[in-house]
Amino acid sequence: MVRAPEDEITQQGDGSAAIRAAWDAFDAGKLETARHRAERLGEDSPEGLFLRAACSREEDDLEGAIALLERAIAADPEWASPELAFAELLAETPDKLAEALRHAARAVELAEEEDEYLSALALKAGLEAETGDDEQARRTLAELPPPEVVLGDPAAALEIADLHLALGDAELARGRLRTLTTSEPGASSADVWHALGCAAADLGDDADAQVAWKRAWVLDTAPGTAGAEERRFTDAEVAEIAGEALAELPDRARELLRDVPIVIAEQPAESDVDAGIDPRSLGLFNGTAYTDGSHLGGQPGLTQILIFRRNLERVAANDAELREEIRTTLIHETGHFFGMSDEDLEGVGLA
């Protein structure tokens, strides 16, 4: 029987070559080829089972991926990779967080490579925080080198800094982020500069926040930035979603908002960022709140509500989430028009 050229390498005696060939197919998006090569490694091969799980995960077959990862763990109980992947999948299910945490802790114990160790430790700390054990999350993160030490995996280092921020440890976050900006790719990462601005803002350092956020804005708006030319919804579709959101408001509220323009912008303007606005804000209310204006002179001042398309698309994993983000953001900003503070809006679930 004639074999397809891409299968020839799997006939070699060197198993590592067959594994590399299978992963090459996976990286090229050839999932069926990758799965076929992985299956030829044998039903008891942990590497083959792990790769087949990766294929299932790419196809959103989470149940199949979990079953294959369980078999990979059983086939090689001392291998960190399937433990980490298993923990990541379980972490997506709220009632599986305790089990995910156990597997993340096991992955930390088993990890031999720095990148895998950092990813496992960040996942473990994140799960501890998500289950309400902030102090244990801090103890987990304390196992890391000090902030001034460069970590080998920039993505994991950013995730760890984000965890510091979420735990209220802004000074630790700022230290790690400053270290990240001293070398590539951190120095050219808008995500790193944005997080650095958030850390500075949390510390009340408005000057540093403005500098970092301006750098993030410059990187986000640079020509050729990923997603800059792609729009998931047209202006008409965004306007329709906005109209549906406004329709949820009471009649009196809609009447007061009738003359307030709703502007769809890509991102905040440079002048807004220079004034201290977070460049990744989802929306913005400009003008005088209704409660602050004169009720005798009609519509108070020049007002507008802006929603920022690219920032909304950045935080939404799919179209359904994007619709909900547009809706929530618009209602949030109308809340500002009616004089509600961020704390007020958080209290009613519109933060």
Side-chain angles (χ1 to χ4, degrees):
M1 183 178 69
V2 178
R3 295 191 306 270
E6 64 265 24
D7 285 334
E8 290 177 357
I9 195 168
T10 64
Q11 302 300 310
Q12 298 178 14
D14 183 0
S16 63
I19 294 166
R20 284 197 305 273
W23 279 108
D24 286 345
F26 177 86
D27 291 339
K30 300 176 180 179
L31 298 185
E32 282 306 314
T33 299
R35 181 180 284 109
H36 178 62
R37 289 174 172 176
E39 288 170 347
R40 296 184 70 170
L41 293 170
E43 287 299 314
D44 295 324
S45 164
E47 293 88 353
L49 292 165
F50 182 61
L51 177 50
R52 287 163 62 187
C55 292
S56 294
R57 188 173 183 178
E58 279 294 301
E59 295 168 337
D60 291 327
D61 178 10
L62 300 188
E63 185 176 335
I66 286 173
L68 288 163
L69 287 170
E70 287 179 316
R71 291 172 59 191
I73 291 169
D76 187 352
E78 301 302 311
W79 188 20
S81 295
E83 289 280 4
L84 177 56
F86 194 52
E88 289 171 342
L89 281 181
L90 293 176
E92 298 177 14
T93 306
D95 62 355
K96 298 283 188 181
L97 296 185
E99 187 179 357
L101 181 54
R102 289 196 298 273
H103 285 278
R106 179 64 175 158
V108 171
E109 293 174 5
L110 295 175
E112 297 179 354
E113 301 295 329
E114 182 186 11
D115 290 3
E116 196 160 55
Y117 171 76
L118 292 174
S119 295
L121 189 137
L123 178 60
K124 178 176 180 286
L127 287 166
E128 288 162 345
E130 192 169 351
T131 53
D133 196 347
D134 288 1
E135 285 308 310
Q136 181 56 50
R138 289 189 176 94
R139 287 193 290 273
T140 295
L141 293 175
E143 298 174 21
L144 292 164
E148 60 271 16
V149 175
V150 177
L151 301 179
D153 182 350
L158 176 57
E159 185 179 356
I160 288 163
D162 285 338
L163 279 170
H164 286 314
L165 270 177
L167 291 167
D169 300 324
E171 195 62 67
L172 273 173
R174 179 154 72 169
R176 292 207 183 278
L177 291 162
R178 281 176 168 169
T179 300
L180 259 177
T181 63
T182 62
S183 60
E184 294 294 342
S188 57
S189 167
D191 292 340
V192 170
W193 285 103
H194 178 255
L196 183 56
C198 291
D202 284 357
L203 292 166
D205 190 341
D206 293 340
D208 271 12
Q210 186 173 343
V211 169
W213 278 345
K214 181 61 176 287
R215 185 73 175 269
W217 181 87
V218 168
L219 291 166
D220 274 341
T221 57
T225 302
E229 305 302 327
E230 298 178 8
R231 292 182 173 183
R232 284 155 65 176
F233 291 154
T234 65
D235 285 349
E237 289 170 325
V238 175
E240 181 182 355
I241 297 167
E244 292 170 357
L246 291 176
E248 299 178 26
L249 299 174
D251 291 345
R252 177 59 175 159
R254 292 202 305 274
E255 182 181 343
L256 292 170
L257 284 162
R258 184 180 55 196
D259 296 324
V260 178
I262 296 173
V263 179
I264 304 165
E266 293 301 303
Q267 289 167 288
E270 184 172 8
S271 57
D272 289 329
V273 177
D274 289 340
I277 297 297
D278 182 340
R280 293 192 173 179
S281 297
L282 303 182
L284 181 66
F285 167 70
N286 273 334
T288 305
Y290 176 75
T291 55
D292 294 337
S294 166
H295 290 196
L296 300 177
Q299 187 68 38
L302 175 63
T303 63
Q304 63 176 352
I305 291 171
L306 299 99
I307 55 176
F308 301 120
R309 179 202 306 275
R310 285 181 61 188
N311 291 349
L312 287 159
E313 290 180 346
R314 181 182 287 110
V315 301
N318 53 52
D319 287 355
E321 285 188 16
L322 181 54
R323 279 183 169 274
E324 183 58 25
E325 287 291 350
I326 293 170
R327 172 191 168 276
T328 302
T329 299
L330 183 58
I331 295 177
H332 176 104
E333 299 306 332
T334 62
H336 285 314
F337 169 73
F338 290 113
M340 297 178 73
S341 66
D342 283 329
E343 290 74 20
D344 296 332
L345 291 162
E346 185 175 2
V348 294
L350 290 172

